[in-house]
């Protein structure tokens, strides 16, 4: 237990008005003032040190709180596991997903109030809420719906895309339905006789069009969803001169093993029905587009909407998403040659996939977009369990509350998991337990529009979190399907994630680790472990990890793509069919939700209550070597051809990783030796501070290449796909489409190589045992 509380004396400085009548008296007073100032400074320094190391008591806790207590850990773990209720999770999901709750809507604000009330009044947490005023985007009203049209040669409407999806299960009152739209797409009315199909609208797809000699300038582009973030699709189309974009869901990405008909898709199966339309944001900014770099508070300077469109942070062209039933009509009107590559062909029934050009029979495509750009308030809500020994160290779990429609999976599934996780900790608190470190549960708002709520909060508290945040655990969509754990995380968390998964039983007799192993591991490799990917963007972890270097994890229960060969995130993603009824098709008793809640609960318990933060530094070294070897194999020859100095920089990078690996092994050995002894509170704190600081060491303050807000030099989102991760992203971005004689571009490659060596050298110093400077 902490030692008894003591009260420190406080020194204060005050200003003196010196009389001019007596120099001697003045000198005496100056001497006194200097003495007071020196004493005050000493007090401030000492007070600062005590403040750094002190807990709620002003003296450090006795050594007994710094020795691991396996029996207590096991007792608390068992209590938490036994308290988790699948029925509770199910009822929270049913209630919270009963109505659409778009960011900025009345229903989403109601949910914020419900969550805060439960945390404060029922669970007895401390609570806090933060409100930001941000730019959001909404579709036209009932008399001005966003739609795509086919106009015939006599200027008559031959076909119009559906205003709203066909109602297949009761899920919303008509007045609450959010019609299909893309957030932030520009309001405009565009009609053209020329249209092209560009597959997934990836960079390589547009390159293929250029190679074919097909000019997209002043044309409408059709993109199928999948592979990359929709905002990158629209941005690339705009850069190539397109004036509007139609996005659609192809059955190849969203239907498998059944016919793409109303009789065999949802609600009869998990797959997308013909009328299903994926909504979604198109901002490639992260956070509020108008206040990049500042929290969206009243005092912040704001850009105009026109300015952020000109800067290509949000589209300067209209878009319209449609379902695959409607898409068939648009494909039938396309002219041009049949696509040459099989991977450009989807599974639209009876359709020949063509590149396009001038439309057949003098037809025209029209895109009518009536989006409204509006500044509205969004609200983050926090539930806080204050730590007993290190209240100034934070273990954070977060989930976003907003959804494009009912969002039973994205992200109410994750909301229900987080609420159950918080509930069982409240039950453990009633036994007298408090975590060593503070636990914070965060309900984010505005994620769907561009990860707004979490990034605005991080902009506001970044200095505080840089000193205090231990880890961020993200639970977005929760349980997408029931086949294995899809995970991305900092390498520091890998061992803890594996150890935790081995404790969690899942339906069918396996544990979570075994199920995960079977779905992801090459059985011919005896040393293989379940796959944990590097973190891309796409959810609320991105601000914590890529901007602020806070060790992070993002996991969902997912489907095995070897068994279900579809390409979408999940078939009903961002549609009006993402409902409670859909979840009941694959997790009717919410047992997979219970397993995921158990996983998060034990991760939080371990990270918040272990004496030493359970990070494994040598796992980071292993991953650094893996991603370096992959990059080296891909770029070494190209760099050798250009300049031996560049290849030398690769050698320096390899040497820095070798040094880091050596320091990591020494550090892990030091941690083991400390835990086997009787460490002082200060000794434990010092090692834990090094563990917290390690991820920050991989940040470069000025950003990577042209992306000043992406600062993690080793792992960050790809420049051409915000969803995907890229190792050493500055180097790969600098080499993308580089011309042999573009010396300025090669200088940028050299600079990014330098950043990579520099940050890894810095990281090695951060974990050097006994190092002072």
């Amino acid at each position: 237990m902490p030692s008894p509380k003591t009260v420190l004396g406080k020194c204060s400085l005050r200003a003196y008005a010196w009389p001019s009548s007596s120099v001697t008296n003045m000198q005496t007073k100056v001497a006194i003032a200097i003495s007071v100032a020196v004493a005050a400074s000493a007090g401030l320094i000492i007070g600062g040190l005590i403040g750094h190391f002190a807990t709620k008591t002003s003296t450090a806790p006795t050594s007994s709180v710094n020795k691991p207590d396996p029996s207590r850990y096991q007792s608390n773990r068992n209590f938490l596991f036994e308290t988790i209720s699948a029925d509770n999770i199910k009822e929270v999901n049913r209630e919270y997903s009963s109505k659409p709750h778009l960011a900025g809507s009345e229903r989403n604000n109601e949910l914020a109030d419900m969550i805060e009330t439960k945390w404060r009044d029922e669970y007895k947490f401390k609570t806090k809420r933060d409100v930001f005023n941000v730019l959001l985007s909404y579709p036209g009203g009932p008399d001005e719906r966003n739609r795509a049209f086919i106009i015939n040669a006599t200027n008559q409407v031959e076909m119009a895309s559906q205003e709203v999806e066909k109602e297949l299960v009761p899920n919303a009152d008509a007045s609450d339905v959010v019609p299909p739209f893309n957030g932030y797409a520009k309001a405009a009315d565009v009609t053209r006789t020329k249209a092209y199909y560009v597959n997934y609208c990836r960079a390589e797809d547009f390159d293929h069009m250029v190679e074919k000699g097909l000019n997209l300038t002043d044309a409408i582009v059709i993109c199928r969803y999948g592979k990359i973030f929709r905002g990158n699709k629209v941005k690339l189309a705009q850069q190539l001169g397109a004036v509007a974009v139609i996005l659609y869901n192809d059955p190849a990405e969203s239907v498998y093993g059944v016919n793409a008909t109303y009789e065999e898709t949802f609600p009869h199966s998990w797959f997308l029905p013909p009328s299903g339309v994926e909504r979604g944001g198109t901002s490639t900014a992260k956070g509020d587009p108008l206040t990049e770099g500042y929290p969206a508070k009243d005092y912040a300077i704001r850009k105009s909407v026109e300015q952020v469109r000109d800067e290509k942070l949000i589209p300067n062209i209209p878009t319209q998403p449609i379902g695959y039933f409607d898409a068939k009509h648009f494909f039938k009107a396309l002219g041009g040659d049949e696509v040459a590559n099989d991977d450009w062909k989807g599974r639209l029934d009876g359709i020949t996939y063509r590149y396009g050009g001038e439309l057949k029979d003098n037809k025209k495509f029209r895109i009518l977009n009536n989006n409204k750009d509006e500044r509205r308030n969004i609200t983050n809500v926090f539930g806080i369990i204050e730590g007993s020994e290190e209240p100034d160290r934070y273990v954070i779990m977060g989930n976003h509350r907003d959804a494009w429609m009912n969002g039973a999976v994205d992200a109410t599934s994750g909301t229900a998991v987080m609420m159950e996780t918080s509930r069982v900790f409240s039950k453990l608190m009633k036994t007298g337990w408090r975590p060593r470190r503070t636990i914070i549960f965060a309900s984010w708002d505005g994620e769907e529009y561009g990860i707004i709520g979490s990034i605005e909060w991080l902009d506001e508290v970044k200095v505080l979190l840089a000193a205090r945040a231990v880890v961020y655990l993200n639970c977005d969509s929760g349980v997408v399907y029931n086949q294995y754990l899809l995970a991305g995380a900092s390498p520091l968390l890998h061992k803890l994630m594996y150890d935790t998964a081995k404790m969690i039983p899942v339906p069918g007799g396996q544990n979570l680790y075994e199920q995960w192993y079977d779905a992801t591991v090459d059985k011919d490799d005896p040393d293989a472990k379940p796959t944990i990917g590097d973190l891309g963007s796409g959810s609320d972890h991105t601000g914590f990890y890529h901007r602020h270097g806070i060790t992070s994890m993002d996991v969902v229960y997912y489907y095995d793509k070897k068994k279900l060969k579809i390409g979408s995130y999940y078939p009903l993603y961002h549609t009006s069919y993402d409902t409670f009824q859909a979840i009941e098709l694959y997790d009717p008793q919410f047992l997979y939700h219970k397993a995921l809640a158990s996983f998060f609960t034990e991760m939080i318990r371990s990270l918040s209550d272990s004496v030493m933060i359970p990070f494994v530094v040598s796992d980071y070294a292993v991953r650094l070597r893996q991603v370096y070897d992959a990059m080296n194999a891909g770029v070494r020859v190209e760099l050798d051809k250009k300049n031996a100095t560049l290849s030398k920089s690769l050698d320096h990078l390899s040497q820095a990783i070798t040094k880091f690996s050596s320091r990591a092994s020494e550090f892990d050995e030091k941690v083991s030796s400390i835990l086997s002894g009787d460490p002082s509170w200060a000794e434990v704190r010092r090692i834990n501070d090094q563990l917290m600081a390690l991820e920050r060491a991989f940040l470069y303050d000025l950003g990577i290449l042209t992306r000043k807000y992406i600062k993690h030099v080793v792992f960050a989102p790809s420049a051409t796909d915000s969803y995907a991760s890229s190792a050493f992203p500055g180097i790969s971005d600098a080499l993308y489409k580089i011309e042999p004689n573009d010396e300025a571009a090669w200088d940028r490659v050299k600079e990014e190589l330098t950043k990579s060596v520099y940050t890894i050298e810095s990281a090695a110093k951060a974990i050097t045992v006994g190092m002072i400077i």
Side-chain angles (χ1 to χ4, degrees), residues 154-166:
T154 61
N155 284 328
Q156 301 300 308
V157 174
E158 181 177 291
M159 182 267 173
S161 63
Q162 60 190 342
E163 292 187 12
V164 295
E165 290 147 297
K166 187 174 181 179

Side-chain angles (χ1 to χ4, degrees), residues 594-610:
K594 180 179 180 179
L596 188 63
S598 300
F599 180 81
F600 272 98
T601 297
E602 173 57 16
M603 290 288 294
I604 292 169
R605 189 212 58 77
S606 181
L607 287 159
S608 67
D609 222 18
S610 297

Side-chain angles (χ1 to χ4, degrees), residues 170-329:
N171 66 337
D173 294 333
S175 60
D176 292 331
V177 170
V178 180
F181 84 112
N182 290 126
Y184 298 122
K186 186 175 182 178
D189 189 349
V190 172
T191 302
R192 291 294 186 274
T193 62
K194 188 169 68 170
Y196 292 96
Y197 165 61
V198 195
N199 201 20
Y200 297 106
C201 288
R202 300 166 295 183
E204 57 265 40
D205 296 326
F206 285 106
D207 289 344
H208 180 68
M209 298 295 281
V210 172
E211 292 166 4
K212 295 282 293 182
L214 299 172
N215 185 354
L216 307 184
T217 301
D218 202 41
I220 292 173
V221 162
I222 300 176
C223 308
R224 59 169 159 162
Y225 276 122
K227 302 294 186 184
I228 68 170
F229 171 51
R230 75 188 71 78
N232 292 109
K233 298 173 188 282
V234 177
K235 186 173 185 176
L236 289 167
Q238 181 178 315
Q239 289 172 350
L240 269 291
V243 294
V245 173
I246 297 172
L247 294 144
Y248 83 101
N249 301 88
D250 197 285
E253 274 65 59
S254 52
V255 180
Y256 181 76
V258 300
N259 292 314
T261 63
Y262 285 112
E263 291 73 29
E264 297 189 30
T265 54
F266 181 80
H268 309 289
S269 71
W270 183 56
F271 301 106
L272 185 69
S275 60
V277 184
E278 177 184 325
R279 298 149 182 79
T282 55
S283 172
T284 52
K286 300 304 174 191
D288 176 34
L290 303 186
T291 59
E292 271 199 309
Y294 304 98
K297 296 292 188 176
D298 289 343
Y299 65 78
I301 186 172
R302 283 174 165 80
K303 298 176 182 178
S304 68
V305 176
E306 293 74 18
Q307 186 176 356
V308 295
R309 291 197 191 281
D310 289 342
E311 292 175 358
K312 299 181 175 62
L313 297 177
I314 59 177
N316 213 10
I317 60 175
T319 73
Q320 181 58 25
I322 63 175
Y324 61 81
F325 177 83
D326 287 344
K328 288 195 286 188
H329 296 278

Side-chain angles (χ1 to χ4, degrees), residues 692-768:
M692 283 174 52
L694 175 56
E695 200 83 61
R696 273 62 139 192
F698 294 109
L699 301 182
Y700 185 73
D701 286 343
L702 301 181
I704 57 174
L705 206 59
T706 59
R707 296 187 285 165
K708 61 183 178 180
Y709 296 114
I710 300 295
K711 300 180 179 182
H712 203 298
V713 171
V714 181
F715 302 115
S718 164
T720 55
D721 176 15
S722 296
Y723 284 160
S725 177
S726 178
F728 297 111
I731 299 171
S732 60
D733 288 354
L735 286 168
Y736 180 67
K737 290 188 176 181
I738 195 167
E739 296 292 337
N741 298 319
D742 188 342
E743 296 304 324
W746 286 105
D747 285 344
R748 290 192 290 272
V749 174
K750 173 66 174 175
E751 182 177 7
E752 295 304 318
L753 281 162
T754 299
K755 289 178 189 177
S756 299
V757 177
Y758 161 65
T759 54
I760 293 173
E761 289 276 1
S762 297
K765 290 181 174 66
I767 56 169
T768 297

Side-chain angles (χ1 to χ4, degrees), residues 24 56 59 62-63 94 97 119 142 211 245 256 261 339 364 394 430 433 490 513 517 563 586 601 633 639 655 680 738:
T24 303
K56 296 181 72 173
T59 57
T62 58
S63 63
R94 187 199 306 270
S97 68
W119 280 340
E211 292 166 4
V245 173
Y256 181 76
T261 63
V339 297
K364 291 174 280 193
Y394 306 155
K430 291 181 178 179
W433 171 88
S490 163
Y513 182 91
Y517 180 95
K563 296 178 180 178
Y586 60 85
T601 297
L639 297 188
Q655 292 160 12
S680 68
I738 195 167

Side-chain angles (χ1 to χ4, degrees), residues 490-496 498 529 615-626 660 664-665 668:
S490 163
L492 291 173
L493 288 168
H494 287 190
K495 184 177 187 303
L496 179 62
Y498 291 141
K529 296 178 181 178
F615 293 166
V616 179
V617 177
S618 54
D619 283 349
Y620 219 121
V622 170
R623 187 61 185 149
L624 281 174
R625 178 55 64 186
Q626 290 171 343
F660 179 88
S665 296
D668 285 343

